[in-house]
Amino acid sequence: MTMLQSARRAAGSAATITLSGSRLLSMGSVAGHSPMSMCAPAVPTHCIARARLAATAAPVPGSSFDMEPAVSAKEKKTEHEKETASYWGVSPTRVVKDDGTKWKWSCFRPWDAYEADVSIDLMKHHEPVTLGDKMARWTVKAMRWPTDIFFQRRYGCRAMMLETVAAVPGMVAGAVLHLRSLRRFEQSGGWIRALLEEAENERMHLMTFMEVSQPRWHERALVVAVQGVFLHAYLAAYLLSPATAHRMVGYLEEEAVHSYTEFLRDIDAGKIEDVPAPAIAIDYWRLPAGATLRDVVKVVRADEAHHRDVNHYASDIHHQGHALREIAAPIGYH
Ligand SMILES: [Fe+2]
Ligand SMILES: [Fe+2]
């Protein structure tokens, strides 16, 4: 952990970070190869790195990419051009593992990856008590109805589309608390960061499901329309009653847990092919190299259960007459 933190601190001061140590090397960062195979003399590590850069899905072991060079001349030229453009002294941070291979993802770094807590209770449910709770529950149930009709059992597509909505509340609530903190000259109790972490985590769910399901034009149009409506509706709800808004997200996450459980059932029944996990998912959740879609759905479902708990907890804090800033936020609680 100390090493991760020092690597993160280094990100602010150096353009290139070299990661060392078995923990970072064991992040499943080479798709299709276990950490041990990275050390095996039979396959040069630079060749494996090239394989990782070339694939978006975990490659099948034994495929032919192993003999390509680590970085092509064209890629080197492009990198050089980007460096030259850095007139202002802002160089892109490059993360290099201690075997010399490049960290592939710029949308997240090794210190953002984590192992999901899949032991979380999936059956927890908050029984609505107040009128606000009942309205929140009713709203989520009402939103589920058209979703069920539109997507039916196309869970890959359904997950991808719902993640475009699920990533909105954390960002809205985080922004509202951020601005309030500035206006009132007061601490946030860590809630700004916790809510933005949730939004980022939801967006990573979307980045993952994009790899297994491509949206069609009318689905993209639907996302634009829904985002426009939902963003403003949730902002209004959060300003009027943060307790109800967090409760609604809690119920939304309960539904997400249910949907991902159905997704798993269809994979187990053979109705959905259990394809290799996207490489981005293997790195983000530190999954084993041979992980499949089923493993991905399990860790995403665990994330949703954590979001459920955080949002019901935030609503409870409000209901008990406290402001969120008075109670330390569950930062890093995925
Ligand atoms: Fe999600
Ligand atoms: Fe969620």
Side-chain angles (χ1 to χ4, degrees), residues 156-308:
C157 193
R158 181 191 184 116
M160 182 183 62
M161 297 292 281
L162 290 184
E163 296 297 354
T164 66
V165 172
V168 171
M171 185 58 70
V172 169
V176 168
L177 296 186
H178 174 77
L179 295 173
R180 183 173 297 156
S181 172
L182 302 181
R183 277 199 318 275
R184 297 184 180 175
F185 301 89
E186 64 187 21
Q187 299 279 347
S188 72
W191 280 94
I192 298 169
R193 190 163 152 200
L195 290 164
L196 295 183
E197 269 182 7
E198 178 191 301
E200 176 66 6
N201 182 244
E202 294 286 16
R203 202 173 59 82
M204 286 304 296
H205 293 174
L206 176 64
M207 299 298 105
T208 296
F209 284 112
M210 269 169 28
E211 298 288 329
V212 290
S213 183
Q214 293 299 316
R216 287 168 277 188
W217 72 266
H218 60 276
E219 290 165 340
R220 285 175 180 270
L222 185 67
V223 168
V224 172
V226 169
Q227 188 179 92
V229 173
F230 187 69
L231 169 70
H232 294 93
Y234 191 77
L235 175 61
Y238 202 84
L239 292 173
L240 285 171
S241 172
T244 303
H246 278 299
R247 187 69 78 207
M248 197 193 84
V249 178
Y251 287 129
L252 204 62
E253 301 290 356
E254 286 184 18
E255 291 293 341
V257 170
H258 175 76
S259 290
Y260 283 116
T261 301
E262 294 284 304
F263 197 158
L264 282 174
R265 273 193 203 127
D266 276 8
I267 292 173
D268 290 342
K271 293 176 185 168
I272 296 173
E273 189 184 354
D274 194 13
V275 295
I280 194 169
I282 289 177
D283 281 345
Y284 185 64
W285 284 281
R286 298 179 190 163
L287 295 172
T292 63
L293 179 61
R294 189 179 194 283
D295 300 308
V296 175
V297 174
K298 276 183 79 174
V299 291
V300 171
R301 182 176 64 169
D303 285 352
E304 308 298 14
H306 282 87
H307 301 159
R308 170 201 65 194

Side-chain angles (χ1 to χ4, degrees), residues 97-174:
K97 293 179 280 186
D98 68 354
D99 63 355
T101 57
K102 187 173 123 184
W103 176 259
K104 176 181 177 182
W105 314 105
S106 55
C107 59
F108 75 101
R109 304 304 167 96
W111 47 84
D112 300 315
Y114 62 98
E115 287 166 21
D117 171 18
V118 291
S119 67
I120 191 167
D121 184 354
L122 300 170
M123 303 307 291
K124 268 197 211 163
H125 166 65
H126 179 274
E127 207 54 54
V129 180
T130 65
L131 179 63
D133 289 354
K134 287 171 186 165
M135 282 173 58
R137 184 90 180 110
W138 179 85
T139 304
V140 171
K141 284 285 178 198
M143 283 163 68
R144 171 146 195 166
W145 181 64
T147 311
D148 282 347
I149 292 173
F150 192 82
F151 294 109
Q152 297 182 350
R153 298 190 78 85
R154 292 184 296 135
Y155 286 109
C157 193
R158 181 191 184 116
M160 182 183 62
M161 297 292 281
L162 290 184
E163 296 297 354
T164 66
V165 172
V168 171
M171 185 58 70
V172 169

